[in-house]
Amino acid sequence: MPSYEVRTPQAAYSVLVEWGALGRTASLIPARTGRVFVITEERIWRHHGSRLTAGFSCPPEVLYFPGGEDRKRLATVEQLAEQMVAREADRTSLILAFGGGIVGDVAGFLAAGFMRGIPVIQAPTTLLAQVDAAVGGKTGVNLASGKNLFGAFHQPLAVLIDPQTLTTLPEREYRAGLFEVIKHGVIRSPELFELMRRRIQDVFARQPEVVERMISESVRLKSEVVSADEREADLRRILNFGHTFGHALEAETGFVRFLHGEAVGFGMQAAAELACRAGYLDRAACDLIRAVVDEYGPIPSLAGIDPDRLIALMASDKKTLQGRVHFVLPEAIGRVRVVTGIDPALVRASIQAALG
Ligand SMILES: NC(=O)c1ccc[n+]([C@@H]2O[C@H](COP(=O)([O-])OP(=O)(O)OC[C@H]3O[C@@H](n4cnc5c(N)ncnc54)[C@H](O)[C@@H]3O)[C@@H](O)[C@H]2O)c1
Ligand SMILES: [Zn+2]
């Protein structure tokens, strides 16, 4: 089974990627583990739960929550923790996060805090979570005042990725995840970018070999970046390609009009334009990035978006340190650099160009 190693000062673990891998879940549980608590959503469990429990001699406890951004809150973590206590969880318990990025973030944070920390295994079931959220140990919840403002780093014991779970993923969610895969290609993998460019029909058809390749390559790259730099400082920042503009678009539209990946699609268009206009990227490469993003669209209408509002939101993003906006700009397909101090007029023109 293809496996990628993550090594951080806090932990070392494997990320396994294989069609049908869910059947091996039980074999990943360490010998002296007490109760296993699966945190999931009811519909994910309905689709894939039986494959996950196949190898367990003693069935795990299953706790559901309804999912959705508005449930990614401290209240949910508290409720789940109380349910665990009611079912006799203790320090030897283990959490299995089985779902998309919402489940992964909530269950990961629950594990980080329960009895001051118990192990978690991430078993992501959306493309976005498989290629991004499940690897790297970031966990947390939203506050009323903003997304992901409350959390912890808690590296998993292992990450188990079964691309077969994607067969039931709604089309729009799948497409949103594809933008993060394109992002990985642009920042660090020309091969992955070529795969996304050349095999678009197979990607849309969720052809197993292509799906496994795009997940594996994304995981390889994210594992490398996270291992080199656990806490966002320098290298990890490159993962934010498309996100500076994308987060602003999500915030401006109240997090309801665009899925996160769709906003990143827009953000990559704007960032490619900015890289070109600021003289880091040639026009042909910029147009190629934009064309591939377009092919994986369309994203919901951008009508009525005001560039100046996006600029104001970028300045107040939590990733903006001391008022300096960092842009991750491609210099070629497969290579990016982090730049600050860009002329606001160029930023505005690039947003305008991406809005079309
Ligand atoms: N921790 C990180 O590093 C990190 C990175 C990126 C994103 N995130 C977080 O991830 C969250 C978004 O995650 P997401 O896009 O996976 O959304 P999500 O978890 O809401 O899942 C999307 C939808 O797909 C459904 N679903 C999930 N798996 C399914 C399956 N196999 N079959 C059918 N339906 C399925 C869910 O019920 C949900 O309705 C955001 O809150 C974001 O902040 C975290
Ligand atoms: Zn993202």
Side-chain angles (χ1 to χ4, degrees), residues 236-257:
R236 197 163 177 162
R237 215 178 236 144
I238 71 172
L239 297 169
N240 282 330
F241 172 57
H243 284 59
T244 312
F245 295 100
H247 284 150
L249 182 67
E250 284 184 282
E252 173 64 5
T253 50
F255 297 94
V256 290
R257 188 150 132 202

Side-chain angles (χ1 to χ4, degrees), residues 35-342:
R35 283 183 190 226
V36 175
F37 288 83
V38 180
I39 310 290
T40 188
E41 290 174 36
E42 216 162 342
R43 76 154 138 176
I44 296 167
W45 191 251
R46 214 178 330 109
H47 285 308
H48 303 288
S50 60
R51 292 198 299 117
L52 183 139
T53 46
F56 281 83
S57 47
C58 167
E61 304 277 343
V62 183
L63 302 179
Y64 306 111
F65 75 99
E69 270 317 322
D70 52 344
R71 301 294 180 127
K72 193 175 128 175
R73 298 297 297 269
L74 278 169
T76 303
V77 175
E78 184 174 357
Q79 282 156 16
L80 290 168
E82 293 288 7
Q83 289 176 49
M84 286 177 65
V85 173
R87 298 200 199 181
E88 293 168 20
D90 62 22
R91 280 188 192 83
T92 66
S93 300
L94 177 146
I95 287 178
L96 232 160
F98 187 44
I102 303 259
V103 167
D105 280 5
V106 166
F109 189 46
L110 175 64
F114 191 81
M115 298 199 170
R116 299 197 182 83
I118 60 172
V120 61
I121 292 176
Q122 292 282 352
T125 64
T126 63
L127 182 59
L128 181 118
Q130 294 181 350
V131 300
D132 188 358
V135 179
K138 279 195 199 176
T139 74
V141 295
N142 303 325
L143 297 180
S145 44
K147 269 200 63 172
N148 297 328
L149 290 181
F150 203 92
F153 274 90
H154 188 54
Q155 299 293 345
L157 200 63
V159 182
L160 186 68
I161 299 178
D162 182 350
Q164 195 179 346
T165 55
L166 302 183
T167 52
T168 58
L169 189 67
E171 177 72 12
R172 190 176 166 202
E173 297 289 347
Y174 178 69
R175 285 191 184 228
L178 293 174
F179 290 113
E180 298 277 6
V181 178
I182 296 170
K183 176 194 84 174
H184 288 142
V186 174
I187 63 177
R188 221 167 146 91
S189 174
E191 300 77 22
L192 182 57
F193 187 84
E194 276 305 292
L195 179 79
M196 298 306 284
R197 183 182 165 204
R198 305 254 178 227
R199 304 285 299 272
I200 186 158
Q201 294 312 326
D202 294 330
V203 171
F204 279 142
R206 309 186 197 189
Q207 204 256 335
E209 177 249 340
V210 168
V211 171
E212 265 191 76
R213 270 178 66 193
M214 67 186 191
I215 295 171
S216 294
E217 183 62 7
S218 292
V219 164
R220 186 184 67 74
L221 177 157
K222 181 137 191 208
S223 303
E224 256 175 42
V225 171
V226 168
S227 297
D229 181 4
E230 187 190 24
R231 299 210 177 217
E232 195 89 35
D234 298 311
L235 186 55
R236 197 163 177 162
R237 215 178 236 144
I238 71 172
L239 297 169
N240 282 330
F241 172 57
H243 284 59
T244 312
F245 295 100
H247 284 150
L249 182 67
E250 284 184 282
E252 173 64 5
T253 50
F255 297 94
V256 290
R257 188 150 132 202
F258 300 93
L259 294 180
H260 171 73
E262 294 169 341
V264 170
F266 162 78
M268 290 191 291
Q269 305 251 18
E273 275 297 330
L274 183 56
C276 180
R277 284 158 197 258
Y280 294 100
L281 181 69
D282 64 54
R283 176 46 66 187
C286 169
D287 289 347
L288 183 58
I289 294 171
R290 293 203 53 180
V292 171
V293 171
D294 278 338
E295 290 212 62
Y296 282 92
I299 64 170
S301 165
L302 292 158
I305 304 293
D306 174 359
D308 292 320
R309 300 254 331 144
L310 297 191
I311 290 170
L313 283 161
M314 285 191 295
S316 62
D317 191 291
K318 74 171 173 181
K319 297 214 161 102
T320 302
L321 300 175
Q322 287 136 17
R324 286 168 71 82
V325 182
H326 290 74
F327 292 100
V328 182
L329 301 182
E331 296 178 303
I333 287 163
R335 196 174 77 237
V336 289
R337 75 150 68 181
V338 181
V339 180
T340 55
I342 294 243

